[in-house]
Amino acid sequence: MEKNLFREVYKQVCGLALKDCPPSSLSGLLHGYLSVYSMVRVYPWLEDEYGSLWDIHDRIREIARIIQELLKDKDLPVDTRAGYVVDLMDAYLLYSDVKFLDSALDVAYEILIPKGSDKIVLPCRTPNICRLLCNCYYFTGDVECGMLAKNLVTETLGVSRKFSCMELGDWWWAIRAYESVIGEMDVFIEEKERLAGGRMRLGVSVEQIEDEKIEDFQQNGSDVCLIAKAFDILARREFAVCNEFYSKIE
């Protein structure tokens, strides 16, 4: 059922004129395409179904260039701008254009270090800022960014039951980003286990939230932001299904 729905969404997304898409849809579109790219790269015979790696790669580059332009607007809310920075960094991991990374890091530290200061000051305590700190740690080895991200995650796990559905979903991905770099940091095994346990509990709720987003899309499928959200979710799930299916064959 979801596979057929994913194919339907993918056709819709491939037909979108990216320059006309609202900025709020770009992150979902980008990460959906990143999942599709990974899926086709690992299972190249899927090119017949989802297009060539080059075509998918070109689509990702187009989204990244739009995001790069959006970053130039210093009047954007700081959390929104931080989200664009993280998206551009994520795109760089595939499309290794150092200009993307340089632009993202310049804006990242512009956000984190107030003008006239030489110290990091968190402008807000949001999932985007947490992901920003994680990516800065990943790309620069800035230990302070890693420790600040750790503090935000610890704080979040303590109050996660108070979050709205949207906040819960956003923090889920911030915690996943943190987990992807925590292995590089000097932390106790007990802390890693506590983090993993907290993430598993959140995961159940997040899956329910994602199911609701897909249902919402099915009822209001003409909204580009809903299409982008559904694309991101379904692409990740399809990749996971492929991994499970083909691992059994091997």
Side-chain angles (χ1 to χ4, degrees), residues 150-163 168 171 175 194-195 198-199 201-202:
K150 172 186 170 183
N151 292 342
L152 283 179
V153 168
T154 300
E155 177 183 300
T156 296
L157 289 175
V159 297
S160 60
R161 293 178 181 176
K162 299 179 181 179
F163 291 151
L168 192 62
W171 270 112
I175 292 171
R194 186 174 64 83
L195 177 65
R199 182 180 64 78
R201 288 190 294 273
L202 288 178

Side-chain angles (χ1 to χ4, degrees), residues 4-237:
N4 292 332
L5 181 59
F6 174 61
R7 287 172 175 166
E8 175 190 327
V9 173
Y10 190 58
K11 287 179 182 178
Q12 282 185 276
V13 168
C14 289
L16 293 174
L18 294 174
K19 61 183 178 61
D20 297 329
C21 292
S24 55
S25 70
L26 295 175
S27 183
L29 293 173
L30 173 69
H31 288 94
Y33 272 114
L34 288 172
S35 293
V36 174
Y37 183 91
S38 297
M39 188 161 48
V40 174
R41 180 171 57 86
V42 176
Y43 310 111
W45 53 89
L46 293 178
E47 279 197 357
D48 293 338
E49 195 166 350
Y50 301 119
S52 70
L53 275 180
W54 173 252
D55 288 340
I56 301 167
H57 186 281
D58 200 47
R59 196 74 162 160
I60 292 168
R61 179 176 57 183
E62 186 180 355
I63 298 172
R65 285 176 172 169
I66 296 172
I67 292 172
Q68 188 177 30
E69 286 300 308
L70 290 171
L71 278 180
K72 296 177 181 178
D73 185 358
K74 296 184 179 183
D75 293 328
L76 286 171
V78 66
D79 182 60
T80 300
R81 206 164 178 229
Y84 289 150
V85 172
V86 174
D87 289 338
L88 195 58
M89 289 175 169
D90 289 347
Y92 169 79
L93 290 172
L94 168 63
Y95 185 71
S96 301
D97 186 335
V98 72
K99 292 180 181 178
F100 285 167
L101 182 59
D102 288 344
S103 295
L105 286 172
D106 285 346
V107 178
Y109 280 98
E110 185 179 302
I111 289 171
L112 294 173
I113 301 177
K115 192 173 182 179
S117 175
D118 59 355
K119 294 182 179 180
I120 293 177
V121 178
L122 299 187
C124 51
R125 308 177 77 78
T126 62
N128 280 335
I129 291 296
C130 185
R131 291 168 63 217
L132 179 66
L133 291 166
C134 290
N135 277 17
C136 285
Y137 174 81
Y138 177 81
F139 285 112
T140 71
D142 189 330
V143 176
E144 184 178 6
C145 286
M147 295 306 297
L148 287 169
K150 172 186 170 183
N151 292 342
L152 283 179
V153 168
T154 300
E155 177 183 300
T156 296
L157 289 175
V159 297
S160 60
R161 293 178 181 176
K162 299 179 181 179
F163 291 151
S164 67
C165 289
M166 181 176 292
E167 289 173 324
L168 192 62
D170 290 343
W171 270 112
W172 162 259
W173 290 109
I175 292 171
R176 291 295 298 272
Y178 176 72
E179 276 194 311
S180 72
V181 300
I182 195 173
E184 304 294 328
M185 298 182 66
D186 184 18
V187 295
F188 293 111
I189 293 176
E190 292 80 3
E191 187 171 357
K192 288 185 181 181
E193 292 175 347
R194 186 174 64 83
L195 177 65
R199 182 180 64 78
M200 287 180 63
R201 288 190 294 273
L202 288 178
V204 176
S205 298
V206 170
E207 185 173 0
Q208 293 173 347
I209 293 167
E210 290 184 343
D211 287 342
E212 291 171 4
K213 288 181 179 178
I214 292 172
E215 186 177 340
D216 195 13
F217 158 75
Q218 290 177 294
Q219 296 175 357
N220 305 281
S222 61
D223 182 272
V224 176
C225 290
L226 285 177
I227 293 172
K229 289 177 183 176
F231 177 46
D232 182 17
I233 295 166
L234 291 168
R236 280 189 279 104
R237 290 184 177 184

